[in-house]
Amino acid sequence: MKIIATLLISLILLSSCSNNGKEKNIKGIQLLYTNTISDKEADDFAEYLKNSEIANGEEKTIQLDKTGNTYKVRMVVKEEIKDEINKDEDYLTFGGLLATEISTDVFRGNKVEVHYCDENLETLKVCKM
C-alpha cells in the first residue's frame, strides 16, 4: 500500500497556514493538527509520514483533524491539479486507498478521510475509505 503514498507525493504542496493547529515538521512536511487530535495521535501520524514516501524532503502541508470518530487528513494540493481532481477518478481512488492505509497503519481501523485542499485548507474533494 505504500505505493499509494508515492503516487500522491506530487499532489501535495507547502502552504503558509496559520491558526490551523499545533505544528510538527517531518522531513519537509508541515504537519498541523487541531485540538481534536491528541499529541499521541499526532506523533503516531508523524511517524507514519516519516516512514512513507510522502516525506521525501519536498515541502508540503498536511493538517490532521477529527470529527466524531472520523480522522480527516487534509492535504494541500498544487494549483495545477485543482481542476483535475474533480475530473479524474484516479485521484478519488488513490485518496480512498491512502485513507484505508492510514486507517490500518495509524488509527487502528477507525474511519479516515483524505481531503484534497486549497492553500487555505478549504476542501476541494473528499476521498473516503
Side-chain angles (χ1 to χ4, degrees):
M1 285 288 220
K2 297 290 182 197
I3 189 106
I4 302 306
T6 303
L7 294 172
L8 289 172
I9 288 170
S10 64
L11 300 179
I12 310 167
L13 166 77
L14 177 69
S15 170
S16 55
C17 303
S18 59
N19 300 321
N20 288 310
K22 295 179 184 177
E23 182 176 339
K24 293 182 178 286
N25 291 293
I26 303 102
K27 294 184 178 178
I29 297 174
Q30 176 190 35
L31 173 61
L32 305 167
Y33 60 103
T34 67
N35 61 3
T36 62
I37 300 295
S38 71
D39 288 337
K40 167 105 172 69
E41 290 170 318
D43 290 342
D44 290 347
F45 186 60
E47 188 65 26
Y48 167 82
L49 291 173
K50 189 184 312 178
N51 294 318
S52 76
E53 296 292 323
I54 297 172
N56 63 359
E58 290 181 35
E59 294 184 340
K60 302 170 182 79
T61 295
I62 300 174
Q63 182 193 53
L64 186 59
D65 191 15
K66 188 164 117 177
T67 302
N69 292 326
T70 302
Y71 291 89
K72 296 178 181 181
V73 178
R74 304 172 52 76
M75 305 167 74
V76 176
V77 298
K78 294 179 180 179
E79 185 69 35
E80 59 265 21
I81 65 125
K82 284 182 184 176
D83 289 334
E84 289 299 311
I85 61 174
N86 289 315
K87 296 177 190 170
D88 189 340
E89 284 296 312
D90 286 343
Y91 290 109
L92 188 60
T93 300
F94 294 147
L97 291 171
L98 180 61
T100 301
E101 178 178 292
I102 293 168
S103 171
T104 301
D105 292 355
V106 182
F107 298 121
R108 298 170 306 284
N110 285 298
K111 188 187 258 186
V112 174
E113 298 175 346
V114 170
H115 291 232
Y116 298 135
C117 299
D118 67 14
E119 60 279 354
N120 298 312
L121 286 170
E122 295 294 324
T123 298
L124 302 170
K125 189 80 164 180
V126 177
C127 307
K128 298 185 179 191
M129 301 171 44

